[in-house]
Amino acid sequence: MAKYILKRLAAAGISMLVLVTATFFLMHAVPGSPFSPGEQRNVPPKVLENLRSKYGLDLPVWKQYLNYMDNLFHGNLGYSFKKLNYTVNELITSGFPASAVVGALAILFALAVGIPLGITSALKRGGWMDWFSMILATVGISMPIFIIAILLMFVFSMKLQILPIYGYGTASHLVIPVICLAFSPIAYITRLMRSSMLEVLRQDYIRSTRARGVPELMVIAKHGVRNSILPVVTYIGPLIAILLTGSFVVERLFMIPGIGRYFVTAVSERDYSVILGITIFYGAFIMLCTLLVDVAYAIIDPRVKFTD
Amino acid sequence: MKKNTGFIPDETYLKDIDAAALSGGLFEPLPSEEKQTDVINRPSVSYWENARAKLKADPLAMGGFMIIAIMIALAVFGPMMRPYAYDEQNYSIANQTPSADHWFGTDKFGRDLFVRVAYGARISLTVGMAAAAINMAVGVIYGGISGFVGGRTDMLMMRIVDIIMAVPSLLYIILVMVFLGAHMHSIIIALCFTYWLGTARIVRAQILSIKSQDFVLAAKVIGETDSKILFRHLIPNSMGPIIVTVTFLIPQAIFYEAFLSFIGIGIAVPVASWGTLANDSLSNMNTYPHLMLFPALAISLTIFAFNFIGDGLRDALDPRLKR
C-alpha cells in the first residue's frame, strides 16, 4: 500500500517536472516578452530595462529556469506581469474558494442525480426513465458546455427571469453554473451506473440473495449498488479534469471570480507568469485528486491489488 | 514455395473404393439430399462485409452519416450558394432576422450568417478530420512499435505516454495555442500534442493481443521483415478498434476548436468558426437569439452525428458481437 502510493507519487512528480519544464520553455519561447520595446511603445527604454531586471528577464534562460524552480520548491510562483503588485500565489488563493465551491457542488450534484438515475434506468430497463436517461446522456455528451450554459442563461435568466444572469455571492447565482458544470458528468455517471448495475444484477450472488428472501430494496441497496458503484468512483478522478474545462467557460460567462477566469484572462492578455503558475497549480491539483481517488478506490474494492 | 506433395486421393481411386464397398453389400449409397447438408450454402461473409451490413442496419449511424454528408455539402458549396462573402460588412442590413435574402439572418456588422456558418463548417470539419488523421498516424506508429518491439522499449515508450497523460490535455492545448497564436493550423498542431496518446494505447493493446497468434509466427517463419509484419499483418488486423477511436477523436477535436474559439483563444476574427460565432452572439443574445441558434445547432448536430457514427462503428466492428 505504502509502496503503491510512493510509486504513484514519484510518477506524478516526474509528470509535474515535465509539465513545468515544458510550460516554462514554451512561455519563454513565445516571441515578444511583455516588457520588450515592441510591446510597450510608450515606456522609456530605461524603464523597460529596469522592469526586465526586476522580473529577472535579463538573465539567460537556463538561469531563469533554475531561479523559477528554486522559487517553485519554496511555494512561490512569482509576480503577475500584467496585474500590478499581484503575485500569482495571491491570484490563486483569491480565486480558489469560488472555483472550489462551484466545482464541489457540481460534483455532488452530478453524483446525486446521476447515480439514482442510472439505478432506476437499469432496474426498469426499456421504461420511460431509461429512455429519458438515454436522451439525457446523448445530449450531455454531444452538446458543448458553453451551449448548455447559454441555453440555461437564455431560458432562466432572460426569458423567465427567475435567476440572476451572472455574478457571484448568493445561492441563486450558483444554480445555473452548477447545473452547467454537472450536465455532461450526469450523462456519463448515468450511463456508467446503468451498465454496471445491469452487469451486477446478472450475478449469481444477487440471485441467491433474492432466493434467500431478502427484500428487493435491500438486494438493490446493499448488494446491487455497493458492487456497481465502483466504476463511478474511478470516474471521479477524470471528472475533476473535465470540470476544469467547464470552469473556464462557466467562470467566464457567469463572471465567477475563480481561477478559471483568471487563467482565461491571463491567456488572452499573455500574462506569462500567471499562465505558468496556474498551469502548474492545476496540474498538481488534478494529479493529487486522481491519486487520492485511485487510492480510495483500492481501499473500497478489495479485489484491486497494489501491483502496478 | 514448393507444392504440397502429400497423398491426395484422386477421383478414380475413390470410385474404386465406392464400388468395392457397395458390391460387398456392406454400405448403402447416401440419399442425395443428405449429402447436401454438408454443403456451405451461405456465402462467406468477410469481416468488413459483415461490418458494412451491420452499419447499414443501424438507423442512428446512418442518420449520423447523413448529417455529416449535409455538413460537408454545406462546407463545400454553402459559401458559393449565396452572393455574400463571410467577412462582407454592410451596416444597413445589420441584425436582420432570417429572410429569403439572408437565410439565417445577419449579425451586428450585417454579415450573412448562413455564409458564416457554412464557412465555420469548413473550419470545424477541417480541424476535426486533420487532427484525427494526424493523430491516427502518430498513434498507430507509436503504439504499433511499442507493442511490437515490447520489453524495455515498450516500457519506456508507455511511461512517456503516462507522463504526458497525467496532465489534462487542455492545459497543453492552451499552452501551445498561446505559443503559436490564434490560427486554424495552430489548433490542429495543439491537438496533435496530446491526442495521439489514447490511440497509441489502444493500438499497443491490440498489437500485444494479436502478436502471439499463429499467423504472425507463420509470417516470421517465411522470413518477413519486422516492419512488414507490423504494417502488413498486425496493424491491418487491429484496424477495427483504431477506426472506432479515430471516429470519436473527430467530434472531440471539433469540440475543442469551438471551445477555444469561444473563450477567445481559438480562431481570430473575422474568420468565422462556430465557436467564434457563438461567442459573438452572446452580447445581444436576448434581442437576436437566432445569431446563437444556428451556430449552436451546427456544433451540436455535428458532434451528435459523429458520436452516433462512432457508436455504430463500435458495434459493427467488434468481432465479439457477431450475429
Side-chain angles (χ1 to χ4, degrees):
Chain A
M1 177 79 180
K3 202 178 157 197
Y4 170 76
I5 297 175
L6 271 179
K7 246 185 181 170
R8 286 290 307 266
L9 273 176
I14 297 172
S15 297
M16 269 321 285
L17 196 69
V18 170
L19 177 71
V20 172
T21 313
T23 318
F24 182 87
F25 286 104
L26 264 181
M27 289 304 104
H28 280 260
V30 180
S33 94
F35 307 119
S36 67
E39 207 132 314
Q40 303 283 348
R41 288 176 207 282
N42 303 324
V43 184
K46 189 71 199 157
V47 175
L48 282 180
E49 215 168 278
N50 283 341
L51 273 172
R52 287 170 64 80
S53 75
K54 178 175 182 265
Y55 285 102
L57 291 173
D58 50 348
L59 301 170
V61 176
W62 62 270
K63 201 144 191 203
Q64 288 184 42
Y65 178 68
L66 289 185
N67 283 344
Y68 192 83
M69 290 309 265
D70 185 37
N71 284 330
L72 187 62
F73 277 108
H74 293 93
N76 178 10
L77 294 166
Y79 284 93
S80 163
F81 284 171
K82 295 270 160 132
K83 278 190 179 243
L84 204 61
N85 289 330
Y86 257 105
T87 64
V88 179
N89 294 46
E90 279 168 355
L91 279 179
I92 290 175
T93 41
S94 78
F96 187 67
S99 294
V101 166
V102 178
L105 282 176
I107 293 182
L108 289 180
F109 183 64
L111 291 174
V113 176
I115 292 176
L117 205 58
I119 294 172
T120 38
S121 52
L123 290 180
K124 299 236 158 66
R125 204 173 158 191
W128 67 270
M129 241 345 205
D130 197 16
W131 273 103
F132 173 73
S133 76
M134 182 87 95
I135 293 168
L136 186 79
T138 321
V139 171
I141 290 164
S142 300
M143 262 197 177
I145 180 161
F146 57 90
I147 290 179
I148 295 169
I150 291 166
L151 273 181
L152 291 174
M153 214 180 191
F154 186 70
V155 174
F156 289 103
S157 311
M158 293 181 171
K159 292 294 155 194
L160 300 176
Q161 305 209 326
I162 47 174
L163 290 168
I165 297 182
Y166 55 77
Y168 184 74
T170 66
S172 63
H173 283 115
L174 290 174
V175 177
I176 305 182
V178 168
I179 295 178
C180 287
L181 277 182
F183 205 89
S184 85
I186 287 176
Y188 274 106
I189 291 173
T190 308
R191 301 316 291 171
L192 267 182
M193 194 67 207
R194 178 182 180 273
S195 58
S196 80
M197 191 75 188
L198 283 175
E199 186 68 40
V200 167
L201 286 179
R202 241 180 266 135
Q203 300 293 318
D204 288 345
Y205 57 80
I206 293 288
R207 196 178 50 192
S208 47
T209 331
R210 279 185 180 145
R212 285 209 324 263
V214 178
E216 185 63 18
L217 196 68
M218 281 288 275
V219 176
I220 302 303
K222 218 175 156 193
H223 302 270
V225 175
R226 267 207 195 172
N227 284 296
S228 56
I229 209 154
L230 291 164
V232 178
V233 175
T234 29
Y235 175 66
I236 294 177
L239 178 64
I240 295 163
I242 291 169
L243 289 184
L244 181 80
T245 322
S247 77
F248 292 155
V249 168
V250 164
E251 290 181 8
R252 196 186 91 99
L253 266 180
F254 297 99
M255 304 281 177
I256 296 167
I259 305 180
R261 208 182 77 184
Y262 289 139
F263 188 62
V264 176
T265 319
V267 167
S268 49
E269 283 182 346
R270 305 190 147 227
D271 190 343
Y272 299 124
S273 56
V274 176
I275 300 175
L276 191 54
I278 295 186
T279 305
I280 293 168
F281 175 77
Y282 271 139
F285 183 73
I286 286 168
M287 266 189 254
L288 188 68
C289 290
T290 323
L291 180 66
L292 287 180
V293 168
D294 284 358
V295 171
Y297 179 72
I299 292 171
I300 298 170
D301 188 353
R303 287 169 298 185
V304 176
K305 293 215 175 68
F306 296 103
T307 43
D308 201 24
Chain B
M1 245 171 59
K2 250 182 135 183
K3 256 208 156 162
N4 191 337
T5 49
F7 173 70
I8 299 171
D10 61 10
E11 204 84 335
T12 51
Y13 178 81
L14 285 173
K15 257 186 198 148
D16 286 350
I17 291 192
D18 273 359
L22 284 174
S23 64
L26 283 170
F27 300 102
E28 271 176 46
L30 202 65
S32 61
E33 316 82 81
E34 238 171 274
K35 276 187 194 159
Q36 295 300 317
T37 55
D38 284 345
V39 175
I40 302 167
N41 50 18
R42 212 177 114 189
S44 90
V45 179
S46 78
Y47 175 63
W48 293 107
E49 281 167 0
N50 182 31
R52 197 179 305 146
K54 270 195 203 166
L55 202 60
K56 270 190 183 159
D58 184 349
L60 287 178
M62 291 324 283
F65 276 117
M66 218 126 91
I67 293 175
I68 297 307
I70 294 171
M71 284 297 166
I72 291 174
L74 181 72
V76 177
F77 303 112
M80 300 175 207
M81 283 159 72
R82 308 300 300 156
Y84 314 102
Y86 72 91
D87 53 354
E88 184 183 312
Q89 304 188 356
N90 182 353
Y91 287 92
S92 60
I93 53 162
N95 288 324
Q96 283 192 350
T97 44
S99 65
D101 265 349
H102 299 279
W103 295 346
F104 289 179
T106 56
D107 69 359
K108 60 184 174 213
F109 298 117
R111 294 177 292 201
D112 185 81
L113 193 64
F114 175 76
V115 173
R116 287 176 74 71
V117 169
Y119 208 84
R122 284 187 184 181
I123 291 171
S124 289
L125 293 176
T126 314
V127 168
M129 300 199 179
I134 297 173
N135 286 296
M136 176 170 132
V138 177
V140 165
I141 294 172
Y142 193 95
I145 292 174
S146 177
F148 185 62
V149 177
R152 265 196 202 163
T153 323
D154 179 36
M155 233 269 300
L156 186 73
M157 285 175 92
M158 280 300 122
R159 285 299 88 79
I160 293 174
V161 168
D162 288 346
I163 284 169
I164 306 175
M165 239 185 181
V167 181
S169 54
L170 184 67
L171 290 179
Y172 282 116
I173 292 173
I174 288 181
L175 291 175
V176 176
M177 286 304 293
V178 172
F179 178 64
L180 291 174
H183 307 287
M184 187 168 85
H185 57 88
S186 37
I187 292 185
I188 297 173
I189 297 172
L191 287 173
C192 291
F193 268 75
T194 53
Y195 247 44
W196 53 273
L197 300 168
T199 323
R201 273 194 174 172
I202 286 165
V203 174
R204 172 179 171 269
Q206 277 293 315
I207 301 279
L208 281 183
S209 77
I210 55 175
K211 87 170 175 187
S212 53
Q213 283 185 17
D214 288 343
F215 71 93
V216 181
L217 187 67
K220 263 188 201 152
V221 168
I222 61 167
E224 288 272 48
T225 59
D226 278 354
S227 70
K228 234 181 182 175
I229 293 178
L230 180 57
F231 288 104
R232 293 280 284 279
H233 296 282
L234 291 175
I235 289 175
N237 271 298
S238 40
M239 219 54 207
I242 295 173
I243 289 176
V244 174
T245 330
V246 170
T247 322
F248 283 115
L249 280 182
I250 299 175
Q252 275 183 49
I254 292 176
F255 165 79
Y256 271 120
E257 183 276 314
F259 166 77
L260 292 172
S261 301
F262 182 79
I263 62 171
I265 52 174
I267 286 172
V269 284
V271 181
S273 126
W274 288 340
T276 336
L277 290 177
N279 192 13
D280 282 349
S281 69
L282 267 183
S283 48
N284 38 16
M285 178 172 61
N286 204 8
T287 354
Y288 307 113
H290 66 277
L291 291 181
M292 170 60 67
L293 177 71
F294 292 110
L297 212 59
I299 304 172
S300 309
L301 270 181
T302 310
I303 297 180
F304 221 62
F306 275 116
N307 278 330
F308 278 147
I309 295 176
D311 278 338
L313 280 174
R314 185 173 48 201
D315 293 346
L317 293 176
D318 191 344
R320 281 165 304 182
L321 290 174
K322 270 259 167 75
R323 270 172 297 195

